[in-house]
Amino acid sequence: MDKMPAWADAVLVPLISLILAALLSALVIVAIGESPIEALKLMVEGALMRSTGWGYTLYYATNFIFTGLAVSVAFHAGLFNIGGEGQATLGGLGVALVCLYLPWPHWSLALIGASLGAAVFGALWALIPAYFQAKRGSHIVITTIMFNFIAAALLNYVLVNLLKPVGTMDPASALFPPATHLPTFQEMFSSPESPLFRGAPANISFFLALIACVVVWLLIWRTRLGYEIRALGHSESAARYAGISPVRIIIVTMLISGALSGLMAVNTTMGESERLLMNATEGAGFIGIAVALMGRNHPLGVLLAAILFGFLYQGGAELALWTNIPRELIVVIQALVILFTGALDNMVRIPLEKLFLAMRRGNT
Amino acid sequence: MTDQAPAIELRGISKAFGPVQANKDISIRVMPGTIHGIIGENGAGKSTLMSILYGFYKADAGEVFIAGKKTEIPDSQAAINAGIGMVFQHFKLVQNFTVLENVILGAEEGRLLRPSLSKARGALKKLAEEYELSVDPDALVQDLSVGHQQRVEILKALYRQADILILDEPTGVLTPAEADHLFRILDNLRAEGKTIILITHKLREIMEITDTVSVMRRGEMTATVKTAETSPEALAELMVGRKVLLRVDKAPARPGAKLLEIENLRLTDETGVQRLRGISLDLRAGEVLGIAGVAGNGQSELLEVLGGYGTATGIVRVNGVEIPLSGTGCTGQARRAAGIGHVPEDRHHDGLILPYTAWENACFGYHRDPAFQKGILMNNAAIREDAKGKMERFDVRPPNPNLAARNFSGGNQQKIVLAREIEHNPDILLIGQPTRGVDIGAIEFIHQQIIRLRNQGKAILLVSVELDEIFSLSDRIAVMFDGQIMGFRDAAQTDQRELGLMMAGITQDPGGDPLAAIDATLAAKEAREAAQHG
């Protein structure tokens, strides 16, 4: 009865969309007088051919995995959480407080503590919109995006007035104590003979992100809570019929979603900058929406899409460094990828469905 | 008559939606001045065929002849120009326009409304006298009863000079008396030489009013016969492709203890309209209490309240124990624990999660059962195994638990819901519209299951808008109108006429033509709702 095989839906559709986006991007690069082949070469070399490039790609990917998972989990409950930015911002605050004010004997314990701090702060920031959605029917898209602005302002205030060390000009917290330093890929995988990931920010939180993928997969498809989340996402009246409380599921789902967004800060704030900065999220909360969209809200898809976007981020930085192609162009390319994989999904899907149908007719 | 050209002739119409062949090589001749029934189960392709005729879909192949002339119908305007009028199952009226404004909508002449309106007023008056189609031309459509809204639809078509009238399931929302009146209108239209195509799934209507009947099954026209020369049994067999039992065999009920007691149940919806206005009833073990009524008179709300997902005031006792009607103890989960199973009216929105697989659906609502858990995870293997058994015992086809619920036919979807609710062995089973959108073959099976359950000593509350179904299953019948129960009747000692009047809010037989009394009660109901709404 299905129109096309599942693998085609999961692999072929995004792949073709991606190729279309790449072709259009190539045209844009031609239009500004550069060679798209050269540009692609630079991006691939810069992001994927050297271990340092991978170190950056995976660092960005780590952020996108967390925010992508956050959007996915909420989406399964029919909630469109676009407040990843704000939740990650607050997650950063949680990480900073845990790292600055608690004495940690070892990074592994600090990692657990900071993860908890990030998750709790992110979750609480999502709780307020969740409560308004569940109890008052205030639309979560509106409230979460407004909470992004509030989060940015709050962080600004906290950094400037409370966390900034006396005598510094920089709106940033003090450096975290050395015991909270997370192992980077360089420290984990290099040996004196073969230096790897030199200077790259990728760190152990990438593995935390991988664990999050597995946990989210288990949560959504193997637990009762996931079953109820998906049921609510498909039909609220059916959920109520089955005795599932929409209020409870909305709140619990948003807590999980906010916690996942918040966890992103472990990578940026603890793993990379080792102090709390303004704008540490760098828009990753929004990229998470594209990642979830492209990854079809499945953890494996989110992982792959996050790596793709990590590649685009790092490759874009390389382009800006070595060519006259401005860094903004990479935003154009990202936008095209989002446009084709998200908004124009049916443009690829419908002809493909027809093709499969015709092939099936031909066979029978 | 035989030398006349047919009013409509379809030749070799085919239409596919993706892999689904909705219409396959359909040919049909409808003679002028006749009522031609098209009968078939849901999904047999009746609506698709009529949509092609009305210009909504373009046929992949085939030709349409109107009055002997080959006609292209690319859109509905072309259909109207060819003299075809359509009365849809779901009316296409502007609710806050008057009858007159609705009638001229799309048929205005010139930029000024007044000339069109006064012309339509005259035409409407004439039509009303000719065909017993009286409606107040200045009433707002939202204030009219459903039966009157339907008349407006018919008037719209006639005002556009339709010679051919297509009615899609016209009696679904009518009380029996209103349906009788509709049939009288159709009779008058036929006498005036109009051609009528009546699409329905009700055998009784076909036998009552049509001259010729065509049977559709799985996109094909399986037979066209003269109504006088066939029987309901023969038609049912043509629809399903095998012999079916139209009657349910059942022994007399042996009612036991009171399992469900309801006292003065009241519910006001969020817009302020009272939907339940003091319902009281008792339900005993081993009996089927049928709740008859036209859709929208509070039956759905009653089921929702009893099922635990609507809040109300009043007293409900299950096995003598009062259950909460609002607050935290009022959930579907609590009701199931109290021994109430519920087959909801709308399986697509409530009873099933359509994208879920059959096995995920087969535990829906019972998914907290400890047998389905494995530590913090769900025991999917056990659930799948359980679902497989249920599907086998309830003859769900195909018996594949991994298929998404949306890929099953209506009848098989209903069997999944029924299996889930019945196999959890409730004391009380609430069943809403058990056979809506269900094929005749499955209806037989579902009815047998309900009777089997009743014979096991379960209490069954059946809500159905199909009077035939109420009659064939119920031991006692309660009629709901406007949020109230108009009365209880012993199923063996009442008839369609009495129930039909009660369904329109009339408990005393007024004698003669009851339509005036019906109009009065329906108008009173609309007025009350409008007043509370405002």
Side-chain angles (χ1 to χ4, degrees):
Chain A
M1 209 56 196
D2 286 324
K3 286 175 179 154
M4 65 178 166
W7 64 268
D9 185 50
V11 179
L12 224 47
V13 174
L15 199 67
I16 293 174
S17 302
L18 204 58
I19 291 169
L20 287 176
L23 288 178
L24 208 57
S25 306
L27 286 181
V28 175
I29 294 174
V30 169
I32 60 172
E34 296 276 342
S35 154
I37 307 279
E38 281 302 312
L40 182 68
K41 239 192 206 159
L42 259 173
M43 285 178 75
V44 170
E45 262 171 29
L48 304 178
M49 299 308 282
R50 287 174 290 118
S51 66
T52 306
W54 270 105
Y56 277 95
T57 298
L58 292 182
Y59 166 74
Y60 294 125
T62 306
N63 294 340
F64 303 150
I65 291 171
F66 281 122
T67 53
L69 288 176
V71 174
S72 302
V73 168
F75 197 80
H76 279 292
L79 299 167
F80 195 26
N81 175 18
I82 58 175
E85 280 291 294
Q87 291 143 22
T89 301
L90 265 286
L93 187 59
V95 169
L97 295 181
V98 165
C99 289
L100 287 171
Y101 295 109
L102 295 177
W104 296 104
H106 190 259
W107 64 263
S108 56
L109 295 175
L111 177 61
I112 294 169
S115 299
L116 280 175
V120 167
F121 270 63
L124 289 179
W125 199 247
L127 174 65
I128 308 164
Y131 176 83
F132 283 131
Q133 169 78 67
K135 286 284 194 188
R136 320 286 316 171
S138 317
H139 204 287
I140 202 127
V141 170
I142 310 291
T143 46
T144 49
I145 201 161
M146 292 198 301
F147 265 65
N148 288 341
F149 292 100
I150 303 175
L154 178 69
L155 182 71
N156 198 338
Y157 173 82
V158 169
L159 280 180
V160 172
N161 295 291
L162 304 174
L163 288 184
K164 184 172 70 71
V166 178
T168 61
M169 302 287 284
D170 198 11
S173 77
L175 269 179
F176 299 161
T180 65
H181 170 76
L182 292 181
T184 63
F185 276 19
Q186 186 179 1
E187 291 153 8
M188 290 158 74
F189 300 113
S190 285
S191 58
E193 305 86 63
S194 62
L196 283 172
F197 300 107
R198 195 182 300 166
N203 58 72
I204 196 159
S205 21
F206 175 68
F207 298 101
L208 194 66
L210 292 185
I211 293 170
C213 285
V214 176
V215 170
V216 166
W217 181 78
L218 282 171
L219 169 78
I220 294 294
W221 278 283
R222 285 292 179 271
T223 67
R224 198 170 74 199
L225 178 62
Y227 178 88
E228 295 187 346
I229 287 175
R230 285 182 293 137
L232 177 70
H234 289 307
S235 166
E236 180 175 338
S237 66
R240 291 195 303 122
Y241 157 78
I244 297 166
S245 156
V247 171
R248 183 180 151 261
I249 297 294
I250 287 172
I251 288 183
V252 170
T253 306
M254 282 303 288
L255 284 176
I256 295 171
S257 178
L260 284 165
S261 287
L263 277 172
M264 185 202 113
V266 174
N267 186 44
T268 54
T269 303
M270 192 180 184
E272 206 259 335
S273 62
E274 303 197 358
R275 57 185 183 142
L276 185 58
L277 300 171
M278 287 291 291
N279 194 24
T281 52
E282 292 168 3
F286 290 116
I287 300 290
I289 300 169
V291 167
L293 212 61
M294 194 172 175
R296 296 270 184 279
N297 297 306
H298 190 286
L300 185 63
V302 166
L303 174 64
L304 295 176
I307 291 175
L308 171 75
F309 275 86
F311 158 74
L312 287 177
Y313 249 57
Q314 169 56 12
E318 290 284 321
L319 274 190
L321 190 62
W322 299 109
T323 67
N324 289 329
I325 300 174
R327 206 186 142 80
E328 284 69 32
L329 187 76
I330 215 64
V331 180
V332 174
I333 296 176
Q334 283 163 8
L336 285 170
V337 170
I338 294 170
L339 190 68
F340 276 90
T341 57
L344 297 180
D345 192 54
N346 275 341
M347 192 179 79
V348 174
R349 181 185 305 274
I350 290 171
L352 211 59
E353 277 173 357
K354 287 207 174 125
L355 187 72
F356 271 96
L357 212 60
M359 274 162 47
R360 201 173 306 169
R361 287 242 174 87
N363 287 339
T364 49
Chain B
M1 238 190 175
T2 40
D3 52 342
Q4 240 178 321
I8 293 185
E9 182 174 8
L10 303 177
R11 283 190 201 156
I13 297 281
S14 288
K15 173 78 189 168
F17 296 103
V20 181
Q21 190 76 38
N23 284 161
K24 199 148 93 197
D25 193 22
I26 289 189
S27 299
I28 179 177
R29 292 156 64 96
V30 180
M31 301 311 288
T34 64
I35 299 183
H36 192 115
I38 295 185
I39 194 163
E41 304 188 303
N42 283 285
K46 298 170 299 200
S47 297
T48 305
L49 189 64
M50 291 306 122
S51 298
I52 289 170
L53 194 51
Y54 202 61
F56 280 176
Y57 296 136
K58 196 180 168 333
D60 299 338
E63 297 171 320
V64 178
F65 294 83
I66 309 264
K69 217 168 79 224
K70 186 167 186 294
T71 312
E72 294 287 335
I73 305 179
D75 53 34
S76 50
Q77 195 57 49
I80 292 169
N81 293 341
I84 300 175
M86 183 113 174
V87 175
F88 293 92
Q89 197 175 356
H90 302 287
F91 308 143
K92 313 225 178 272
L93 297 172
V94 182
Q95 290 289 319
N96 53 356
F97 273 18
T98 64
V99 170
L100 214 50
E101 285 169 330
N102 265 289
V103 166
I104 63 160
L105 185 64
E108 310 92 341
E109 291 155 25
R111 291 185 184 281
L112 289 174
L113 278 183
R114 195 156 295 277
S116 303
L117 283 170
S118 52
K119 184 184 160 212
R121 189 180 296 275
L124 233 51
K125 195 155 174 250
K126 213 166 128 251
L127 288 171
E129 284 160 11
E130 233 171 308
Y131 302 113
E132 285 187 63
L133 265 168
S134 58
V135 191
D136 174 9
D138 297 313
L140 290 180
V141 162
Q142 65 197 14
D143 298 336
L144 295 179
S145 71
V146 178
H148 279 147
Q149 293 191 14
Q150 191 173 52
R151 286 185 213 168
V152 178
E153 284 282 15
I154 297 174
L155 283 170
K156 259 171 75 179
L158 294 177
Y159 183 70
R160 287 163 177 71
Q161 314 287 322
D163 288 319
I164 302 158
L165 206 57
I166 304 171
L167 295 109
D168 190 2
E169 301 278 0
T171 60
V173 288
L174 301 183
T175 66
E178 285 176 309
D180 285 345
H181 183 82
L182 172 68
F183 288 162
R184 274 218 304 286
I185 294 170
L186 297 185
D187 241 348
N188 294 337
L189 289 168
R190 169 167 57 186
E192 293 292 319
K194 306 275 186 196
T195 308
I196 292 158
I197 298 181
L198 177 70
I199 303 168
T200 181
H201 67 278
K202 293 182 184 166
L203 288 164
R204 198 161 45 81
E205 293 174 359
I206 290 287
M207 300 308 296
E208 211 175 302
I209 183 112
T210 63
D211 301 302
T212 321
V213 53
S214 297
V215 183
M216 288 190 73
R217 170 154 51 99
R218 293 197 193 134
E220 291 181 71
M221 197 67 94
T222 49
T224 298
V225 290
K226 289 243 178 304
T227 311
E229 293 164 11
T230 187
S231 67
E233 287 76 18
L235 287 177
E237 193 177 334
L238 283 167
M239 280 164 72
V240 186
R242 64 179 175 84
K243 281 216 180 306
V244 283
L245 279 174
L246 291 177
R247 291 246 147 260
V248 187
D249 290 324
K250 57 175 192 187
R254 282 171 315 192
K258 276 186 199 170
L259 291 185
L260 179 71
E261 296 161 82
I262 301 175
E263 282 173 32
N264 196 22
L265 199 64
R266 289 177 181 275
L267 177 144
T268 304
D269 70 11
E270 59 265 34
T271 62
V273 179
Q274 289 177 14
R275 294 293 174 195
L276 296 178
R277 304 197 294 148
I279 300 282
S280 298
L281 59 84
D282 291 334
L283 181 62
R284 290 173 177 279
E287 72 165 354
V288 177
L289 173 61
I291 304 226
V294 178
N297 278 291
Q299 304 98 311
S300 310
E301 288 80 2
L302 177 63
L303 284 183
E304 283 176 16
V305 167
L306 294 176
Y309 57 112
T311 55
T313 60
I315 297 173
V316 175
R317 277 187 288 268
V318 175
N319 281 322
V321 182
E322 193 177 335
I323 54 172
L325 296 177
S326 59
T328 48
C330 173
T331 65
Q333 193 182 353
R335 293 293 195 275
R336 287 179 183 83
I340 300 179
H342 183 187
V343 178
E345 289 184 304
D346 187 337
R347 60 178 168 273
H348 286 173
H349 285 109
D350 297 350
L352 294 168
I353 300 278
L354 290 179
Y356 272 14
T357 57
W359 66 265
E360 282 172 306
N361 271 300
C363 71
F364 190 56
Y366 300 92
H367 55 277
R368 300 177 196 84
D369 192 326
F372 294 154
Q373 318 297 320
K374 197 169 67 182
I376 58 164
L377 302 183
M378 286 183 87
N379 192 344
N380 288 353
I383 298 172
R384 211 177 265 130
E385 202 51 41
D386 173 72
K388 223 164 147 186
K390 283 177 185 158
M391 291 171 82
E392 268 165 28
R393 287 187 291 277
F394 278 76
D395 191 32
V396 177
R397 277 176 257 179
N400 177 3
N402 294 323
L403 216 56
R406 68 155 70 90
N407 292 337
F408 289 89
S409 72
N412 284 303
Q413 289 176 344
Q414 190 71 324
K415 285 187 200 169
I416 294 175
V417 179
L418 210 62
R420 178 181 77 208
E421 299 304 320
I422 289 181
E423 295 234 331
H424 276 85
N425 201 23
D427 297 329
I428 300 164
L429 188 63
L430 315 171
I431 308 182
Q433 318 299 349
T435 55
R436 179 189 281 169
V438 165
D439 34 292
I440 292 195
I443 289 177
E444 185 188 353
F445 179 85
I446 290 168
H447 282 179
Q448 283 166 359
Q449 292 299 322
I450 293 171
I451 293 302
R452 179 176 67 88
L453 210 62
R454 161 233 199 214
N455 292 343
Q456 286 171 6
K458 310 294 186 190
I460 292 166
L461 189 71
L462 167 76
V463 169
S464 176
V465 292
E466 306 269 356
L467 259 189
D468 291 344
E469 181 164 76
I470 292 279
F471 266 111
S472 59
L473 291 178
S474 311
D475 301 309
R476 282 192 304 141
I477 300 172
V479 181
M480 268 185 90
F481 172 75
D482 197 14
Q484 291 176 313
I485 289 182
M486 302 311 293
F488 295 87
R489 295 288 182 272
D490 196 322
Q493 287 162 12
T494 184
D495 56 22
Q496 296 253 355
R497 180 180 164 86
E498 186 184 24
L499 291 189
L501 287 174
M502 288 165 75
M503 284 162 71
I506 298 165
T507 42
Q508 296 287 317
D509 193 331
D513 187 353
L515 268 178
I518 290 177
D519 285 349
T521 57
L522 292 180
K525 176 192 172 197
E526 306 286 344
R528 181 186 65 79
E529 277 177 14
Q532 285 174 347
H533 198 82

